């Protein structure tokens, strides 16, 4: 562990220091500091800031420091969001990790976390060993020749499906960004992972009201039942009227470099019967533009099957 300065700002304004690194639950930052992947000179403990609270009065508003376990257990949280949180990590980590920190967590790519290997995210221009190396867990969507690492968050997938926004506070004031716009695919700059500017802090997550989001779920496929990141996941919500899909929300995780909204699948579902046949036809569009690697081509068939499974789950007993 390298030496660093630790301070605890008393107000949000005091925390907006471009030279500092924020510490909330610490479930990602501390690990990466131990590995020398991150070596901040100044760490800002923000746990004393007034960034808590869950409001389900009109949509959903979540303070950035709310713990994952508390959000998952809160009545009125959409089922897909709650389930995505419950399927994340372990109970101990869910009790510690904040929603803001979860959205900001870094990829679990083994090359990123191993400072003895090159990594374009960690050291721009050094290379991406995953392209020709161990890439079973890596992305098939949103990739580039410089990075194929997946985004690790489960709940971000559900939030993207519901058009969530993040409220940001920074030295230049406050702003709101849609989560789909907040994350950046790697392109030629894989080290630029999001739209957060120096000194900016996530203060709140806002999910618009969607009455039919009560019919939603999150399905996660992984190598073991607990404490494992997704090989593939799907967050879905359906508005079914008289056996026909009036509207749909679909997003995928574990297969892309960012939480991946599947608007083509959504469009293909609208106006179709809520049947397995319709679900299968729509889900087949999920892999459009995919670029599989030698060890992860199985995700091209796993992703549509995962989406169909999720769609069947939310319509069980109502078709």
């Amino acid at each position: 562990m390298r030496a660093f300065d630790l301070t605890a700002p008393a107000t949000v304004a005091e925390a907006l220091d471009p030279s500092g690194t924020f510490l909330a639950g610490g479930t990602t930052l501390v690990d990466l500091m131990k590995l020398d992947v991150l070596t901040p000179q100044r760490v800002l403990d923000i746990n004393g800031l007034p960034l808590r609270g869950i409001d389900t009065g009109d949509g959903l508003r979540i303070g950035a420091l709310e713990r994952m376990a508390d959000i998952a257990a809160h009545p009125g949280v959409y089922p897909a969001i709650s389930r995505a949180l419950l399927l994340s990590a372990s109970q101990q980590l869910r009790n510690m990790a904040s929603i803001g920190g979860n959205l900001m967590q870094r990829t679990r790519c083994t090359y990123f976390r191993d400072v003895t290997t090159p990594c374009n995210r960690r050291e721009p221009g050094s290379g991406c060993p995953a392209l020709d190396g161990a890439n079973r867990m890596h992305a098939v969507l949103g990739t580039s020749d410089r990075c194929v690492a997946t985004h690790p968050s489960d709940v971000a997938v559900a939030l993207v499906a519901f058009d969530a926004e993040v409220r940001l506070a920074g030295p230049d004031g406050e702003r709101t960004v849609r989560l789909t716009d907040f994350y950046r695919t790697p392109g030629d700059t894989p080290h630029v992972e999001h739209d957060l500017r120096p000194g900016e802090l996530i203060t709140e997550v806002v999910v618009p009201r969607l009455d039919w989001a009560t019919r939603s779920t999150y399905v996660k496929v992984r190598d073991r039942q607990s404490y494992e990141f997704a090989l593939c996941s799907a967050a879905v919500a359906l508005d079914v009227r008289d056996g026909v899909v009036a509207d749909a929300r679909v997003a995928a995780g574990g297969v892309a470099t960012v939480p991946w909204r599947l608007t083509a699948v959504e469009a293909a579902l609208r106006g179709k019967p809520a049947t397995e046949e319709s679900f299968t036809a729509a889900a087949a569009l999920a892999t459009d533009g995919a670029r599989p690697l030698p060890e992860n081509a199985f995700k091209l068939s796993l992703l549509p099957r995962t989406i169909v499974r999720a769609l069947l789950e939310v319509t069980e007993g109502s078709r």
Side-chain angles (χ1 to χ4, degrees), residues 60 71 77-86 155 158-159 162 207 216:
L60 178 62
I71 301 166
V77 172
Y78 299 149
I81 296 174
S82 178
R83 186 167 175 78
L85 289 164
L86 290 171
V155 72
L159 292 172
F162 294 134
V207 185
S216 66

Side-chain angles (χ1 to χ4, degrees), residues 17 51 53 59 62 75 105 145 159 201 210 237 267 277 286 294 302 319:
D17 180 355
L51 302 178
I62 307 169
Q105 66 180 301
D145 292 337
L159 292 172
L201 173 68
L210 190 67
E277 181 180 13
L302 181 59
R319 288 175 288 125

Side-chain angles (χ1 to χ4, degrees), residues 19 86 182 189 292:
S19 68
L86 290 171
F182 181 74
T189 55

Side-chain angles (χ1 to χ4, degrees), residues 108-119:
R108 259 52 181 190
C109 173
T110 53
Y111 299 109
F112 171 75
R113 296 170 70 87
D114 181 356
V115 295
T116 67
T117 65
C119 173

Side-chain angles (χ1 to χ4, degrees), residues 180-246:
T180 49
D181 300 324
F182 181 74
Y183 293 119
R184 296 187 182 182
T185 54
D188 292 330
T189 55
H191 59 289
V192 182
E193 299 178 8
H194 48 69
D195 190 42
L196 202 68
R197 299 168 185 169
E200 278 192 325
L201 173 68
I202 297 176
T203 60
E204 189 177 46
V205 178
V206 180
V207 185
R209 180 172 177 174
L210 190 67
D211 292 334
W212 48 273
T214 54
R215 179 177 282 174
S216 66
T217 194
Y218 181 77
V219 170
K220 182 176 182 178
V221 179
R222 46 190 168 173
D223 284 330
R224 57 184 179 183
Q225 186 60 30
S226 65
Y227 199 62
E228 184 60 274
F229 292 91
L231 282 171
C232 180
S233 66
V236 306
L238 281 182
D239 181 12
V240 179
R241 305 178 189 179
D242 299 322
V244 175
V245 177

